[in-house]
């Protein structure tokens, strides 16, 4: 730790943080820009976390002086840095007046990364739980490589639907999306009550036609191909078609609504349907607002 006899000097090159950036990502970018080891910079602020990486977003081991030390390193006020660095904001205000929005650890698309930090290959951020792509550059970012979406307008439309949904449901989005994906994954493994194979095959063909399309994991490709349907299911989970608590009535109302939204017959499987098992029987539907 620096002392008064060994003052902490500002880094020669100190780009500002990107909105929502993780501490690990920002400190790695500072290290690269100044040709220094990231671990050395981290140890100026506190103990080096185990397995430190750009994904790291923890202030464990920090002292009350750590924000001032970071401020001195980059010659920016800590309060200004906290507006972009959520982990720093959490450290400075551990009990905010309003809850923090739900988030996942994600990344900027390559175009946004090049614009914000030309010397960086990747910028890791806390992304809104519902955000799966870059709307500015129309690229899927929930995988290791960007996938252009200009040929998949229904994916872009699904993201816009989730953006609107997130304004009304600031909590529960991640749970609803995970549950929707679980249902679709189980449908794929055990029999589809809706004929969606043609749409998924067409989308997979577009994904795999891209040079990096086959480099991303199959599960990521499948999730992208099914994203429009995931969005519809997530919306149904958060805004159920009926306020009944009877699981069978819930199931019938949900299957009728899905038939209407997808414009095709929903072949009701009954109590063995993943929709029934994961949503209706568990009463995971929320009371409509």
């Amino acid at each position: 730790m620096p002392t008064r006899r060994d003052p902490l000097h500002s880094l020669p090159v100190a780009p500002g943080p990107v909105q929502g950036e993780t501490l690990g990502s920002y400190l790695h970018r500072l290290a690269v820009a100044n040709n220094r080891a990231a671990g050395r910079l981290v140890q100026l602020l506190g103990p080096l976390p185990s397995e430190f990486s750009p994904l790291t977003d923890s202030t464990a081991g920090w002292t009350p002086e750590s924000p001032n030390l970071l401020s001195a390193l980059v010659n920016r006020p800590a309060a200004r840095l906290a507006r972009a660095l959520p982990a720093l904001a959490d450290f400075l205000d551990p009990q905010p007046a309003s809850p923090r929005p739900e988030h996942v650890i994600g990344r900027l698309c390559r175009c946004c990364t090049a614009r914000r930090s030309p010397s960086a290959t990747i910028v890791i951020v806390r992304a809104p739980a519902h955000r799966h792509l870059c709307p500015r550059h129309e690229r899927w970012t929930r995988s290791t490589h960007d996938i252009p979406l200009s040929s998949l307008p229904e994916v872009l439309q699904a993201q816009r639907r989730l953006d609107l949904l997130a304004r009304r449901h600031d909590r529960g989005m991640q749970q609803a999306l995970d549950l929707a994906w679980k249902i679709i994954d189980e449908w794929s493994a055990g029999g589809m009550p809706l004929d969606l194979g043609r749409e998924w095959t067409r989308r997979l063909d577009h994904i795999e036609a891209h040079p990096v399309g086959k480099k991303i994991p199959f599960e990521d490709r499948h999730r992208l191909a099914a994203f429009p349907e995931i969005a519809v299911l997530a919306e149904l989970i958060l805004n159920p078609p009926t306020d009944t608590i009877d699981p069978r009535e819930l199931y019938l109302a949900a299957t009728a609504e899905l038939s209407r939204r997808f414009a095709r017959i929903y072949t009701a499987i009954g109590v063995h349907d993943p929709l029934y098992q994961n949503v209706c029987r568990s009463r995971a539907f929320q009371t409509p607002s």
Side-chain angles (χ1 to χ4, degrees), residues 15 29 110 112-121 123:
R29 289 200 299 115
R110 290 185 179 273
C112 287
T113 297
R115 183 169 62 90
R116 300 288 185 84
S117 183
S119 63
T121 57
V123 173

Side-chain angles (χ1 to χ4, degrees), residues 116-189:
R116 300 288 185 84
S117 183
S119 63
T121 57
I122 189 170
V123 173
I124 303 298
V125 296
R126 288 191 192 182
H130 69 281
R131 182 64 54 81
H132 289 67
L133 54 90
C134 172
R136 176 190 292 269
H137 299 107
E138 299 184 346
R139 289 169 176 261
W140 183 263
T141 56
R142 284 291 186 94
S143 194
T144 51
H145 299 278
D146 292 357
I147 300 296
L149 300 171
S150 57
S151 60
L152 297 173
E154 65 270 34
V155 173
L156 299 172
Q157 180 60 40
Q159 182 61 72
R160 287 191 285 271
R161 176 182 294 151
L162 289 181
D163 291 342
L164 293 174
L165 190 64
R167 296 177 187 175
R168 303 193 300 271
H169 298 274
D170 56 349
R171 314 301 297 175
M173 281 292 300
Q174 186 60 53
Q175 182 182 5
L177 286 164
D178 288 345
L179 185 56
W181 166 240
K182 184 175 187 292
I183 291 168
I184 283 180
D185 196 38
E186 291 181 9
W187 277 351
S188 300

Side-chain angles (χ1 to χ4, degrees), residues 90-112:
D90 291 343
F91 184 85
L92 294 175
D93 185 12
Q95 294 182 328
S98 57
R100 310 287 191 200
E102 287 186 313
H103 70 273
V104 295
I105 298 299
R107 63 177 180 82
L108 297 185
C109 78
R110 290 185 179 273
C111 296
C112 287

Side-chain angles (χ1 to χ4, degrees), residues 23-106:
L23 279 174
S25 175
Y26 184 47
L27 291 169
H28 270 85
R29 289 200 299 115
L30 289 174
V32 170
N34 291 274
N35 196 27
R36 299 191 183 190
R40 294 284 297 276
L41 291 182
V42 176
Q43 287 176 318
L44 293 174
L45 309 177
L48 180 66
S50 59
E51 300 181 358
F52 176 73
S53 77
L55 297 173
T56 304
D57 202 29
S58 171
T59 55
W62 273 27
T63 70
E65 186 62 17
S66 297
N68 295 330
L69 296 174
L70 178 59
S71 177
L73 270 178
V74 299
N75 196 27
R76 286 178 172 81
R80 180 180 168 190
L81 292 171
R83 289 199 291 267
L85 297 170
L88 178 57
D90 291 343
F91 184 85
L92 294 175
D93 185 12
Q95 294 182 328
S98 57
R100 310 287 191 200
E102 287 186 313
H103 70 273
V104 295
I105 298 299

Side-chain angles (χ1 to χ4, degrees), residues 102 161-162 165 168-169 171-185 187 223 227-244 250-251 253-255 257-258 261-262 266 273-289:
E102 287 186 313
R161 176 182 294 151
L162 289 181
L165 190 64
R168 303 193 300 271
H169 298 274
R171 314 301 297 175
M173 281 292 300
Q174 186 60 53
Q175 182 182 5
L177 286 164
D178 288 345
L179 185 56
W181 166 240
K182 184 175 187 292
I183 291 168
I184 283 180
D185 196 38
W187 277 351
R223 188 159 188 159
F227 184 64
E229 290 71 39
I230 292 172
V232 169
L233 271 175
E235 185 176 4
L236 194 70
I237 291 168
L238 291 170
N239 293 324
T242 176
D243 58 1
T244 181
L250 275 174
Y251 181 62
T255 56
E257 180 64 14
L258 289 174
R261 294 198 186 193
F262 291 124
Y266 189 108
D273 189 337
L275 177 66
Y276 183 91
Q277 293 288 328
N278 292 288
V279 177
C280 302
R281 191 177 70 171
S282 65
R283 299 182 183 181
F285 278 112
Q286 302 177 5
T287 301
S289 54

